[in-house]
Amino acid sequence: MTTTPTPEPRLAFLTRVVTKESRHLLTTDRRLFDQPFTPERAAQLESVPELAERVEAFVGRFGRLQDTVGNELLPALLAVLGETPGAAIDNLDRAERLGWLDSSDTWMAMRKLSNQMIHEYVEDPVVLASALATAHEYVQTLVSVAERLAEETRSRGWA
Amino acid sequence: MAQRVVDFVSKRLPAAARLIPGVKTSATSGLQLGPKTLQPVPAAGFTVVRHRADPLTLVQSPMRLTPEQIQGIRGIAHRLAGAQAQVRVFGSRLDDNARGGDLDLLLELPDPVAEPALLAAQVSTQVSRLMDGRRVDVVLCAPNLRRLPIHEVALAQGQPL
């Protein structure tokens, strides 16, 4: 017989995960954006493998933190609070109403941005640079949403 | 007068509709009576158009978008990208026999765009919300952006909204 794990250990685990993911994202963010990410830098990605790897680390960590917060921690937290988690956009709207997120539309737009950050198939350096610069500007917001949810979990004694 | 119009359409629609490929021939599938006015109102996906032979004929909207969706998409594009932005639909939505499917939009902008990735992501997100979460991909065409093969396809096949 299998039993569903009680929500608190899962919330505690997800809280630890987003804390680590936030720290890793901030580290890559600092390294990659120590100078502005211009279309000229984007055009160098084919010839400078270290830069390409750094971009990939940033894109991966940005997307992973968004996924863990939006698709894992947020629905788990809503469920423990007695809400029925729904589609991603409904959960984000709920988070916006609860004051955990400033704008669910901006959050969704940042998810959509990931497609435009994959340097192998974005062939216009202007678009790639714009996508990376936009994601960089959103990093602090993303990390603070993660922190807000983690704090919500800790303050109720679940982590 | 309104009742005469309703009687006329109800009687004429099945025969008229059979002449138009892709249009359902049941009068009730595409037309309902408005609750108070007794005016015929089109169901989602249909538009009442004037036709030379038949004064009132139902045809399916191009691109399988309702007039409300078309208006909504135009509004989002103009609000985010400026009133000069032109929107084209391309890809699988042009196939009237397909069902559902992603929505591919081309946004043509007369001026250079400062943050193309952000603009495309914002338009995509807001149109997706309008389309009940359907996946929406947006390609931009602007003087400061590269012209890639996808732009040629979208410009050649795309239907302006």
Side-chain angles (χ1 to χ4, degrees), chain B residues 68-127:
Chain B
E68 291 76 16
Q69 287 170 333
I70 290 172
Q71 276 306 108
I73 293 169
R74 277 198 204 125
I76 290 166
H78 291 165
R79 195 170 64 250
L80 293 173
Q84 301 298 310
Q86 298 280 323
V87 190
R88 281 174 192 262
V89 176
F90 67 103
S92 63
R93 279 274 153 178
L94 297 181
D95 179 359
D96 285 340
N97 296 315
R99 292 199 171 274
D102 301 348
L103 178 62
D104 293 301
L105 299 178
L106 174 77
L107 225 60
E108 291 176 82
L109 308 164
D111 300 315
V113 55
E115 295 293 350
L118 178 61
L119 176 62
Q122 286 174 327
V123 172
S124 157
T125 302
Q126 294 196 16
V127 174

